[in-house]
Amino acid sequence: MINIDKIEVNVAYSGHITNCYLVYDENNDAILIDPGYESDKIIEEIRTKRCHVKYIVITHSHSDHMGALAKVAEYTNAKIIVHVKDLEALLDKQENYADMLNVEKQNIDENIVMTVKDGDTIIAGTLEFEVIHTPGHTAGSICLLEKNSQKFFTGDTIFSDCYGRCDLYSGSIDDMAKSLRKVFARFESIMIYPGHGESTNLSKAKRYIKMLMAMKNIKV
């Protein structure tokens, strides 16, 4: 059994909303995905649901997805997981746009950070997540597939009606196109849980994304 609590956080109270996900099984073993801001709100959800957070997973190292990381990591005593290609940005204020987003730099103990690569598995209780490397928004962007439930957490790679922007540090439209082809070739109809906005079926999101890419003369 899988439970998914979407926690909408208001980054720097600016109206910029990021989705944080608390994902847990029948025994309340959990991972937390993208604690973007409002640490008290996130911690209260963890406490209320009596979850045991084993890992905090960052889908990509932008500050609007990790503005509450230090406080939540301290509360949960969880390991932090990031793709190896986004590790530098996780620890660097300029590369993760903390100043631009008005988010305090996160002072992270590097000893609790674990890096992953494409195809790695993250296990929390009965939950089993496959790491799917999807560069484009950042070089180390990842999606997470919970294998038992076939729920797909897409970060800022795929939204309900578009793909993530590619003009920021380490972003690449060519990499994004390759990542979209990779995902579309593998999945036809699967529920996606993006980093911003509403959840939807991938089959619906594909139509919008293919149209947007076609406007750039890119086939996905």
Side-chain angles (χ1 to χ4, degrees):
M1 184 183 73
I2 185 173
N3 301 283
I4 302 171
D5 290 0
K6 182 171 82 168
I7 309 164
E8 294 181 325
V9 297
N10 188 352
V11 179
Y13 303 108
S14 64
H16 178 62
I17 306 300
T18 294
N19 296 333
C20 171
Y21 295 100
L22 178 63
V23 188
Y24 54 102
D25 68 8
E26 62 275 13
N27 297 314
N28 293 346
D29 290 317
I31 74 164
L32 186 75
I33 302 172
D34 290 347
Y37 209 74
E38 294 190 273
S39 58
D40 290 345
K41 183 177 184 178
I42 295 169
I43 289 169
E44 178 62 19
E45 184 72 13
I46 295 168
R47 187 193 65 79
T48 299
K49 296 301 172 66
R50 299 183 179 181
C51 284
H52 319 294
V53 178
K54 188 172 183 180
Y55 298 110
I56 302 170
V57 184
I58 306 301
T59 61
H60 62 285
S61 292
H62 284 164
S63 281
D64 59 333
H65 290 256
M66 56 186 197
L69 182 55
K71 288 183 180 178
V72 174
E74 182 180 11
Y75 175 79
T76 60
N77 200 32
K79 296 285 188 180
I80 296 166
I81 292 179
V82 66
H83 190 275
V84 63
K85 289 190 175 181
D86 263 21
L87 175 61
E88 181 180 354
L90 176 76
L91 303 171
D92 185 280
K93 188 174 181 179
Q94 183 173 353
E95 292 177 2
N96 63 43
Y97 297 100
D99 286 336
M100 179 184 295
L101 293 163
N102 199 28
V103 174
E104 183 179 352
K105 183 182 186 299
Q106 302 297 291
N107 294 313
I108 305 300
D109 179 359
E110 293 185 45
N111 293 317
I112 67 170
V113 178
M114 301 171 56
T115 59
V116 290
K117 60 184 185 306
D118 188 56
D120 284 350
T121 300
I122 302 167
I123 295 175
T126 61
L127 303 175
E128 187 174 352
F129 297 86
E130 178 187 349
V131 175
I132 301 175
H133 184 209
T134 53
H137 185 58
T138 67
S141 287
I142 60 172
C143 296
L144 297 170
L145 173 68
E146 205 290 305
K147 295 181 180 180
N148 300 311
S149 63
Q150 291 291 291
K151 304 299 185 184
F152 197 35
F153 299 87
T154 56
D156 281 10
T157 297
I158 299 174
F159 303 122
S160 64
D161 58 357
C162 62
Y163 56 89
R165 62 186 293 183
C166 305
D167 59 334
L168 300 174
Y169 176 81
S170 83
S172 164
I173 187 66
D174 290 337
D175 285 347
M176 177 63 78
K178 291 175 184 175
S179 293
L180 293 171
R181 291 187 199 109
K182 174 181 176 179
V183 170
F184 292 170
R186 180 170 173 182
F187 303 107
E188 180 57 39
S189 181
I190 190 171
M191 281 301 297
I192 64 169
Y193 298 82
H196 304 276
E198 297 303 315
S199 301
T200 191
N201 197 290
L202 181 64
S203 60
K204 182 178 178 181
K206 275 185 184 181
R207 295 197 295 270
Y208 293 107
I209 292 170
K210 287 186 174 185
M211 178 183 67
L212 292 171
M213 279 293 189
M215 293 170 67
K216 296 180 180 292
N217 295 315
I218 300 173
K219 186 176 181 180
V220 296

